[in-house]
Amino acid sequence: MSQQKRNDKADFDVIVVGAGFAGLYQLHQLRKRGYSVRVVEAGNDIGGIWYWNCYPGARVDTTGSIYQYSAPELWKDWDYSEKYPQWDEVRRYFEYVDSKWDLRKDCQFGTRVTGATFDEEGNVWDVDTSDGKSTSCRWLILCTGFAAKPNIPEIPGLKNFKGEAHHTGLWPQNGLDLRGKRVGVIGTGASAVQVIQEASKEAAHLVVFQRTPNLTIPMRQEKLSKEDNQVLKETYPESFNRRQETFAGFDFDFLPKGALEVSDRERSDTYERLWQAGGFTWWLGTFNDVLFNKEANDTQYAYWRDQTRKRIKDPILQEKLAPMVAPHPFGVKRPCLEQWYYECFNQDNVELVDVSKTPIELVTENGVVAGGSEYKLDVLVLATGFDAVSGGLTSIEVVGTDGRTLRERWANGISSHLGMTVDNFPNMLFLYGPQSPSGFCNGPTCAELQGDWAVRFIEDMDKNGTRRVEPTPEAMAAWRENAISIINATLFPLAKSWYMGANIPGKPIEILPYPGGLPDYLRRANEVAANGYTGFVQAV
């Protein structure tokens, strides 16, 4: 760490780490209020995860109408061409936002924040970056996103592979031609489903290495004309206003009744309606007991299974992709959206390898060995997920005033107040991170609603003359226990998911996003603010 500064004069009022939806919103809002702000971004442009997401088939799994900022000056003249936009169109959206908000001028690209230390005499953060420089700020805001740290498993021989091998989160920016290639995909999560769909059309042979079947949902993709967009925009104000009232920050919510409270006919008709609507309404617009009651959950899984098996010709593959008995309760692993995923496995050029029965043993120069058989490959796609929610934060050497890094503090479990602050890390906030709505919430919604709270917090501290603020251990313990008590009343602990940190060896098993829903989260956070920021120690 460079020589620490010993006064209140900082290079910037605020340094924001990350130029995605949350970081750019902080830049825009704080700059409007007169703060000097610098955004530091590891990618070479704005867009956050949409700078990195450029693998074949990468697209938003939220409808574009709600996957954008709510400011009318942005949406009134912006049209997405598809209901679920592809990655390159999302990039064009960020280009458009920059043309309106002039964001790039205050961003430093191609630079990673490597560490930060708080100077207790000057009450400033000294922030070190990969270019060898150190910059100081009064406020440090970490907007690293929930999928900032790709998980590359330690497979023996992986470095020996002579073909092209890429994690979906680190895909070549210039793309990769899969035509006529032998392609292997390890994993069946969201990015895998999207890659598999595209590769099935181009690859000479595609091998999918599946551990757990993905209980994925029909996307119901549509092209959108100018006229279609104009019709959608008639309800934009209402949709954006409703976000704060729904569990996941969308413009729809769970039904006000349970699957076990209605007749068999009503239940079946409701599932059919949700199924035809597609998208996350099947997950987050369903009966309100499905994520709490195993018997209710079984009814929804049975409907999903029966509809899905109709699309798979081979009975053996039916059981591998949509088993008669659910591999875990439906919806407690994050579902993803598909267009022709199951039809891929009816093709002669697509092969499924069940690594729960024939595990991957090693990677050779020429391919992957699983169950004693070698699968020859030209391209290996690592769709192996992320050290989600907390990984982007703990990968930075942020050192607290007690000498411990954030990674060390959270080694045995996450603790925070409001999912935004940690004791011994004064004047620091993190957004869309652990114990906030994050992975349970629409990204742009959380960027704005949680982001507004953070901006108000900083403004109020400065108005009060507060030079240093951090939460109390008691407030953090209460916030943690509340999250645990909520999740233990659900079915989520029954699955090994990244929601619970189970996909990363050695990571504590615990709920990472705040599970009480966005309205409950906002209510609690706003009560803290209204009561003079209870649970915080303020020093003037």
Side-chain angles (χ1 to χ4, degrees), residues 49 52-56 147-153 158 164-172 176 186 191-192 195 379-387 503-504:
I49 193 65
W52 302 100
N53 273 357
C54 59
Y55 57 84
K149 186 179 180 182
N151 173 43
I152 300 178
L158 182 57
E164 294 266 9
H166 300 285
H167 191 283
T168 50
L170 298 169
W171 201 256
L176 184 61
I186 298 178
S191 65
V195 169
V379 177
L380 181 58
V381 180
L382 300 171
T384 47
F386 297 84
D387 183 353
N503 65 318
I504 303 297

Side-chain angles (χ1 to χ4, degrees), residues 229-243:
N229 275 285
Q230 288 305 119
V231 171
L232 287 171
K233 287 176 185 180
E234 291 176 4
T235 60
Y236 272 16
E238 177 185 346
S239 294
F240 286 126
N241 287 335
R242 193 170 180 222
R243 297 176 308 169

Side-chain angles (χ1 to χ4, degrees), residues 3-14 36 119 121-126 135-139 467:
Q3 180 64 40
Q4 294 180 339
K5 297 172 176 57
R6 300 298 179 187
N7 55 63
D8 282 331
K9 181 65 175 176
D11 297 318
F12 294 94
D13 294 322
V14 184
S36 60
D119 171 8
E121 291 187 29
N123 289 308
V124 298
W125 281 97
D126 286 330
T135 309
S136 62
C137 59
R138 295 193 300 117
W139 295 94
R467 299 173 67 241

Side-chain angles (χ1 to χ4, degrees), residues 166-187:
H166 300 285
H167 191 283
T168 50
L170 298 169
W171 201 256
Q173 289 292 317
N174 294 326
L176 184 61
D177 189 357
L178 302 180
R179 289 176 296 180
K181 303 286 181 65
R182 298 169 299 178
V183 179
V185 179
I186 298 178

Side-chain angles (χ1 to χ4, degrees), residues 104-178:
R104 283 190 176 96
K105 69 179 182 182
D106 290 314
C107 298
Q108 180 178 342
F109 298 114
T111 307
R112 288 190 179 274
V113 170
T114 56
T117 300
F118 190 73
D119 171 8
E120 295 195 71
E121 291 187 29
N123 289 308
V124 298
W125 281 97
D126 286 330
V127 180
D128 288 351
T129 46
S130 56
D131 58 3
K133 297 180 180 179
S134 181
T135 309
S136 62
C137 59
R138 295 193 300 117
W139 295 94
L140 178 62
I141 306 180
L142 304 176
C143 299
T144 54
F146 81 93
K149 186 179 180 182
N151 173 43
I152 300 178
E154 294 183 5
I155 305 173
L158 182 57
K159 294 182 179 179
N160 298 329
F161 183 61
K162 287 189 174 180
E164 294 266 9
H166 300 285
H167 191 283
T168 50
L170 298 169
W171 201 256
Q173 289 292 317
N174 294 326
L176 184 61
D177 189 357
L178 302 180

Side-chain angles (χ1 to χ4, degrees), residues 347-384:
Q347 299 176 196
D348 293 337
N349 69 325
V350 179
E351 181 177 2
L352 181 68
V353 177
D354 184 353
V355 300
S356 68
K357 295 181 179 178
T358 56
I360 293 175
E361 298 163 28
L362 73 156
V363 177
T364 68
E365 292 182 352
N366 301 312
V368 173
V369 176
S373 299
E374 183 175 18
Y375 299 85
K376 298 291 183 66
L377 303 171
D378 303 305
V379 177
L380 181 58
V381 180
L382 300 171
T384 47

